[in-house]
Amino acid sequence: MEHVAVIGLGCRFPGANNPELFWQLLHNGVDAITEVPKDRWDIDAFYDAKPVTPGKMNTRWGGFLQQVDRFDPSFFGISPREAEQIDPQQRLLLEVAWEALENAAIVPQKLAHTQTGVFVGISNGDYHRLLYRDYYGIDAYSGTGTAASMAANRLSYILALQGPSIVVDTACSSSLVAVHFARQSLQNGESNLCIVAGVNLMLTPEPTITFSQARMMAADGRCKTFDASADGYVRGEGCGVVILKRLSDAYKDGNNILAIIRGSAVNQNGLSNGLTAPNGSAQQAVICQALKNACLRPDEISYVEAHGTGTSLGDLIEIKSLKTVLMQGRSQKQPCWIGSVKTNIGHLEAAAGIASMIKVILSLQHREIPPHLHLKQLNPYISLEGTPFFIPTESQPWSAATKRCFAGVSSFSFGGSNCHVILEEAAAVPITTDSEIERPLHILTISARSEKALLELAQSYASFLALHPSISLASVCFTANTGRSHFDHRLAIVAESTSELCKQLQAFISAKETSRIVKRQLSSRKRPKIAYLFTGQGSQYVAMGRQLYDTQPTFRQSIEYCSEILLPYLDKPLIEVLYPQPGLNSALDETAYAQPALFALEYALFQLWKSWGIEPSAVMGYDVGEYVAACVAGVFSLEDGLKLIVERGRLMQALNLECEMITIMSNEAKGRAVIQSYTQQATISTINGLQGIGISGEPYLLNNVAVVPELEGANTIELPISQTFHSPLIEPRLAAFAQVISSVTYSPPQIKLIANVTGQLATDEIATPEYWYRYMHQHMQFAAGVQTLYQQGHELFLEINPKPTMLAMGRQCLPESVGAWLPSLHPELEDWQTMLESLAQLYVRGVSVDWSGFDRDYPRRRLQLPTYPFQRQHYWLQRNATENKRLHTSQSQSTKTHPDI
């Protein structure tokens, strides 16, 4: 059978609210047991040191969590009224399961409608007892709030999971048995991913009283496992979650593999010395079966996390069982360590098995066996002398004779259901990629459901980076971008190093503004519409896009593909024109080369944005840019588009007209008035805005036009182009180009396309030679086109161009507060800085980004990053500990008065 990978963890255990803190607790040998908190029950009222005192417990201790009354219901779409009726075990499970998925870098929403199984070990019903004491407090939510089955079912419901959803109650072995069932579900193809959990909370005194009556409780509140003074266990609470996946799928999907489940087995004691008495032969059988399923020899196991509750009889039987099985074929040079996490956090009952398993996974990751506590003198009936078995009272380095370490985890229930799971250390998986290049800048995105939560999350990331200064910035950003849900309160930061990112986070926390921090709250669930603006000649410059060409494979491949198509048409290769060798001149300002170069660059930028999941709702071009816009909209192929633009540029170059173009910051009426006397030599080529027009004509006439009194004070810009376009002046020489236009295959646009001749949405006419003939000599209606885009609902305008020339013109066409105008490149900035700052603006405005595509060409590793900071508030039955005591007292009196109860 195929092995199963553990790819994510989450936990809330006594003294540790996450896996990292849990490891610190284990590594440091911390005893997390405390006295019973006042908000659980009045320990003074229930404690009696004398064992088996009716109605009393002989211990004051336990392993407790803090603030189990708190929950963030709105995060999970639960109303406050329902939240109060839901068992805190269910509520805790929801939060920790979410944290475990984030730990695995899995976006929970992406699991909707998948065969994801949920297997939960749970057996305690304290909240049920509390709730049902008050008949008048029972409402419609009470049943679903306290039914054990709902622990798994509610998680499946909220995440829309469609795999098995099962609760397991085998008492103390519940959660490890859940692991066994999940492993089988994955192996038989019933599930493709499994969320496996154990949860236990101690909210009322009754279970501790009954266990005290059974003499199970340690008087001093410590699990003194294997010690001569062992006299019982101490109860503990918590929740642990592991995310499981078939090993082959985990490798294929690039998951972070924390450990491997090699085998597991479950059996039952059957008829033995007593219902709750341990059975050595059954324990041996379940371990042997797990080894057989794992295809391992007994001597390959180098550590066992024992059930180890700390009872003199149970400890003795368990050690004997381990020795009987694991001594087979083992030499003295093959040590096997034995420990129990119950000495740290107590016996978590239904969650005990998952706590043990998480301890072993963390130990395998750190290759260290943490200390086993409270062992002062070995139980005299346990003999380890002269054997290769050891109990670690101090931390031990974990190494094995084989290349990898193997460990067993045991969990036995007081009802006789036994489980054993065998774990294997995960092999280090090298990062493989076809590219050895890297971006110079990275972008981190984090988000939350509220401003407060976003601030807390930023603080968590800042603290995390401060503790891990040498961590890979690229992998941090990759994990955060791809492995987290994206909520309405959004933050995006561009940084070049881990230290800079940490400083930028601190700046955000301190409410300081910087150019590389972008924050915004989405105000609508509607997906924003993006319009792409493709620019024309005059925006080119040598080495445009060079940084992208050197460091971005998708961009480079697009440029090289265009260059290959252009080889038969150009005397100089496109790459040499765009990126000439040092000391060599470029022909980029020659129209014959400028136009195909701009086309190729803009096409490559389009493909790059597309690979990141950013696609336009509409496109509009300006001059050369309209050819690119039509190409990406599907009007003609890339090959035909490049052929058209080459011939167009060649025609313009060959015309050798004494013509230039200028842009005048004035309105159309004034422009037409000043050229009235020169209608044969000058014409309006473009209407760029309410206060911007382009005029084409002979140079000496344009000089005269620029200084006429009507334009006094108007800014005039001469464009760096060698010929003029969109002018009747060239009409007599278009016959040759008409032939090329007629040879192209046209199709209707597949993306909304603005026709610049009309400034309106393109009709089927744009897929005809006649339109492209008209386009050569008619002026462009840029301002009308921007208005059309705005009327179509577009408020995000992304310029696909080496220089942000259209953005300034576009802003003049719409009200000042409307729209976000974003460049792709800027000649005065690094390519990546411009691209990522624009990407950040798109992200915080709700644009969906394919973050996996964004990093597809680079080596990345999924990391374990800070998890979501739930905004937890008090949700509890409207009574306090004093009221619980009063109810308990009244019930006791009622029982005495009514013996039939």
Side-chain angles (χ1 to χ4, degrees):
M1 299 293 284
E2 183 174 358
H3 301 325
V4 169
V6 181
I7 62 171
L9 302 174
C11 69
R12 304 262 185 90
F13 294 142
N17 279 336
N18 57 56
E20 191 170 36
L21 291 177
F22 186 43
W23 174 250
Q24 291 178 21
L25 179 147
L26 295 169
H27 171 74
N28 294 327
V30 174
D31 179 348
I33 303 303
T34 62
E35 194 168 273
V36 177
K38 293 294 184 182
D39 61 357
R40 301 305 178 91
W41 59 83
D42 185 350
I43 187 59
D44 293 330
F46 289 100
Y47 174 72
D48 193 313
K50 183 180 179 181
V52 201
T53 301
K56 302 291 182 177
M57 60 185 70
N58 70 317
T59 179
R60 304 179 64 88
W61 308 94
F64 292 94
L65 303 184
Q66 296 180 348
Q67 299 183 333
V68 296
D69 61 316
R70 295 186 173 272
F71 180 52
D72 188 353
S74 63
F75 184 88
F76 297 100
I78 297 172
S79 71
R81 180 185 172 192
E82 183 177 9
E84 188 178 280
Q85 298 290 314
I86 297 175
D87 188 333
Q89 293 180 125
Q90 292 188 33
R91 303 181 333 201
L92 180 63
L93 174 62
L94 290 176
E95 293 183 355
V96 180
W98 187 279
E99 291 168 353
L101 288 169
E102 288 197 334
N103 182 267
I106 293 173
V107 178
Q109 290 92 332
K110 292 185 178 180
L111 296 178
H113 314 300
T114 64
Q115 289 303 114
T116 297
V118 177
F119 296 83
V120 178
I122 184 172
S123 61
N124 201 338
D126 285 2
Y127 202 69
H128 181 280
R129 280 192 297 277
L130 277 175
L131 192 153
Y132 280 80
R133 285 174 181 173
D134 179 8
Y135 300 144
Y136 295 98
I138 298 172
D139 67 14
Y141 295 120
S142 302
T144 55
T146 60
S149 59
M150 288 297 166
N153 299 164
R154 189 183 300 277
L155 181 57
S156 297
Y157 167 76
I158 286 175
L159 298 182
L161 312 178
Q162 296 184 331
S165 186
I166 297 170
V167 157
V168 177
D169 182 2
T170 57
C172 317
S173 61
S174 297
S175 55
L176 206 63
V177 172
V179 171
H180 172 76
F181 288 155
R183 170 178 167 266
Q184 290 182 327
S185 183
L186 288 165
Q187 289 176 330
N188 63 29
E190 183 180 60
S191 299
N192 295 323
L193 186 84
C194 285
I195 302 170
V196 189
V199 63
N200 186 57
L201 290 178
M202 303 179 292
L203 307 178
T204 67
E206 289 90 343
T208 307
I209 292 172
T210 190
F211 296 148
S212 293
Q213 301 301 307
R215 296 180 179 271
M216 294 180 180
M217 298 289 94
D220 62 356
R222 300 297 183 275
C223 288
K224 300 175 287 295
T225 308
F226 310 136
D227 192 81
S229 63
D231 60 347
Y233 72 87
V234 61
R235 298 184 70 205
E237 65 183 12
C239 179
V241 179
V242 295
I243 310 300
L244 306 183
K245 198 173 192 178
R246 285 184 290 271
L247 185 60
S248 60
D249 290 341
Y251 280 132
K252 180 187 67 177
D253 297 338
N255 296 117
N256 185 22
I257 300 173
L258 309 178
I260 298 167
I261 300 177
R262 282 292 297 261
S264 64
V266 170
N267 73 1
Q268 230 286 336
N269 287 345
L271 184 62
S272 56
N273 291 335
L275 177 63
T276 61
N279 185 323
S281 60
Q283 291 179 13
Q284 294 169 36
V286 78
I287 297 170
C288 287
Q289 185 60 51
L291 284 166
K292 182 179 179 181
N293 293 342
C295 299
L296 292 174
R297 304 186 311 273
D299 65 304
E300 292 181 274
I301 304 298
S302 54
Y303 177 77
V304 174
E305 176 65 18
H307 181 60
T309 54
T311 61
S312 56
L313 178 62
D315 290 352
L316 174 62
I317 292 173
E318 184 169 9
I319 288 290
K320 284 186 175 179
S321 297
L322 290 172
K323 287 171 62 178
T324 299
V325 174
L326 300 183
M327 273 296 293
Q328 299 174 42
R330 185 181 297 270
S331 72
Q332 288 296 118
K333 295 181 180 180
Q334 293 174 283
C336 181
W337 298 87
I338 304 172
S340 175
V341 73
K342 294 178 179 65
T343 63
N344 299 94
I345 60 175
H347 185 359
L348 270 57
E349 297 166 348
I354 207 76
S356 296
M357 181 173 170
I358 290 175
K359 172 191 171 179
V360 174
I361 292 169
L362 294 172
S363 299
L364 285 167
Q365 285 187 288
H366 291 86
R367 300 213 77 171
E368 177 186 321
I369 297 171
H372 174 95
L373 308 185
H374 311 310
L375 182 62
K376 297 178 180 178
Q377 181 181 349
L378 191 63
N379 184 325
Y381 297 102
I382 295 175
S383 175
L384 297 180
E385 189 173 351
T387 74
F389 293 93
F390 303 92
I391 300 170
T393 55
E394 296 180 352
S395 292
Q396 302 293 327
W398 193 351
S399 59
T402 55
K403 290 184 179 179
R404 299 189 201 169
C405 298
F406 297 96
V409 182
S410 291
S411 197
F412 310 137
S413 87
F414 75 161
S417 293
N418 307 310
C419 183
H420 192 78
V421 171
I422 295 176
L423 297 173
E424 177 184 356
E425 177 186 16
V429 179
I431 300 176
T432 57
T433 177
D434 295 333
S435 172
E436 296 181 357
I437 58 177
E438 184 54 272
R439 287 195 305 265
L441 291 173
H442 301 278
I443 180 171
L444 173 75
T445 64
I446 59 175
S447 65
R449 290 192 184 274
S450 69
E451 185 76 17
K452 184 173 181 289
L454 183 63
L455 184 61
E456 289 182 17
L457 190 58
Q459 290 170 331
S460 296
Y461 270 83
S463 299
F464 175 83
L465 294 174
L467 288 172
H468 304 87
S470 60
I471 199 167
S472 164
L473 172 63
S475 292
V476 167
C477 294
F478 169 72
T479 304
N481 297 343
T482 62
R484 296 294 186 269
S485 301
H486 295 284
F487 300 113
D488 289 353
H489 291 262
R490 298 188 169 195
L491 174 68
I493 299 176
V494 176
E496 61 183 346
S497 66
T498 303
S499 59
E500 187 198 356
L501 177 58
C502 194
K503 289 177 183 177
Q504 297 284 6
L505 285 165
Q506 292 292 354
F508 168 72
I509 294 164
S510 304
K512 296 177 182 177
E513 294 186 6
T514 77
S515 62
R516 291 191 173 183
I517 297 177
V518 185
K519 181 181 77 71
R520 194 179 180 91
Q521 178 184 356
L522 301 186
S523 57
S524 172
R525 307 306 306 165
K526 190 176 179 181
R527 185 175 178 180
K529 290 184 176 182
I530 309 173
Y532 279 11
L533 307 179
F534 296 84
T535 318
Q537 193 172 345
S539 59
Q540 73 274 8
Y541 53 91
V542 175
M544 54 186 181
R546 180 59 191 258
Q547 190 182 41
L548 293 179
Y549 182 78
D550 290 340
T551 59
Q552 217 300 319
T554 299
F555 181 85
R556 184 188 188 103
Q557 289 161 13
S558 297
I559 290 288
E560 290 177 344
Y561 184 47
C562 290
S563 181
E564 184 179 341
I565 295 171
L566 290 168
L567 282 175
Y569 300 105
L570 299 179
D571 294 334
K572 297 179 182 179
L574 175 67
I575 304 300
E576 291 182 13
V577 174
L578 284 169
Y579 313 120
Q581 294 296 319
L584 297 180
N585 293 325
S586 171
L588 192 58
D589 281 338
E590 296 177 25
T591 299
Y593 289 99
Q595 294 200 7
L598 280 168
F599 187 111
L601 182 105
E602 292 178 13
Y603 178 82
L605 285 172
F606 174 85
Q607 294 299 330
L608 179 54
W609 284 111
K610 183 179 180 180
S611 73
W612 298 348
I614 311 294
E615 297 198 51
S617 305
V619 293
M620 184 175 82
Y622 186 94
D623 186 53
V624 172
E626 182 147 4
Y627 289 83
V628 190
C631 174
V632 300
V635 174
F636 38 71
S637 67
L638 175 62
E639 290 77 5
D640 277 345
L642 286 170
K643 179 174 70 173
L644 276 174
I645 209 67
V646 166
E647 293 302 329
R648 182 181 190 266
R650 186 178 293 163
L651 170 66
M652 295 294 98
Q653 188 78 27
L655 286 176
N656 197 27
L657 292 173
E658 290 291 330
C659 291
E660 292 182 356
M661 289 185 70
I662 61 171
T663 295
I664 298 176
M665 305 312 292
S666 183
N667 59 46
E668 182 182 357
K670 282 187 179 181
R672 292 197 182 280
V674 299
I675 64 169
Q676 212 168 25
S677 304
Y678 310 105
T679 52
Q680 299 304 312
Q681 295 88 13
T683 184
I684 290 180
S685 298
T686 64
I687 301 173
N688 298 330
L690 301 178
Q691 293 295 324
I693 57 172
I695 297 178
S696 303
E698 298 176 12
Y700 79 94
L701 287 176
L702 294 184
N703 291 335
N704 293 336
V705 167
V707 296
V708 297
E710 289 86 345
L711 296 178
E712 184 176 355
N715 188 23
T716 303
I717 304 170
E718 183 178 342
L719 299 181
I721 59 177
S722 56
Q723 298 295 336
T724 186
F725 322 109
H726 311 286
S727 166
L729 300 175
I730 67 169
E731 189 167 356
R733 310 192 189 187
L734 287 180
F737 191 58
Q739 293 180 359
V740 179
I741 292 172
S742 299
S743 69
V744 169
T745 301
Y746 298 92
S747 301
Q750 302 304 302
I751 303 173
K752 286 183 178 180
L753 172 63
I754 302 299
N756 233 324
V757 169
T758 64
Q760 303 299 316
L761 283 174
T763 63
D764 289 346
E765 183 196 11
I766 204 167
T768 66
E770 290 75 20
Y771 174 85
W772 295 99
Y773 185 88
R774 285 175 57 206
Y775 186 67
M776 286 291 290
H777 63 84
Q778 290 193 358
H779 69 260
M780 297 183 292
Q781 296 281 357
F782 174 78
V786 172
Q787 290 285 345
T788 300
L789 288 171
Y790 179 57
Q791 291 164 8
Q792 292 285 320
H794 297 85
E795 291 194 9
L796 296 179
F797 301 92
L798 180 62
E799 184 163 359
I800 311 297
N801 182 43
K803 183 187 297 183
T805 57
M806 294 179 74
L807 301 185
M809 296 190 302
R811 285 190 182 97
Q812 299 173 24
C813 303
L814 298 178
E816 187 175 346
S817 60
V818 169
W821 305 85
L822 307 173
S824 291
L825 298 177
H826 195 293
E828 297 176 6
L829 300 173
E830 289 189 352
D831 297 345
W832 277 112
Q833 179 179 342
T834 310
M835 293 289 289
L836 295 193
E837 287 179 358
S838 290
L839 182 61
Q841 291 285 355
L842 292 171
Y843 168 76
V844 300
R845 284 170 167 78
V847 173
S848 178
V849 181
D850 178 3
W851 292 110
S852 295
F854 177 71
D855 272 316
R856 185 173 293 118
D857 297 313
Y858 303 98
R860 298 290 183 262
R861 189 183 296 280
R862 288 184 171 89
L863 304 176
Q864 295 173 305
L865 299 179
T867 54
Y868 189 85
F870 295 107
Q871 302 302 291
R872 306 167 75 226
Q873 297 181 9
H874 176 83
Y875 291 95
W876 200 258
L877 298 176
Q878 296 302 309
R879 62 172 73 105
N880 55 30
T882 303
E883 177 67 4
N884 288 337
K885 177 183 176 182
R886 186 191 64 76
L887 283 169
H888 183 80
T889 302
S890 65
Q891 285 186 337
S892 298
Q893 293 173 348
S894 176
T895 303
K896 293 177 182 177
T897 306
H898 303 282
D900 57 322
I901 295 180

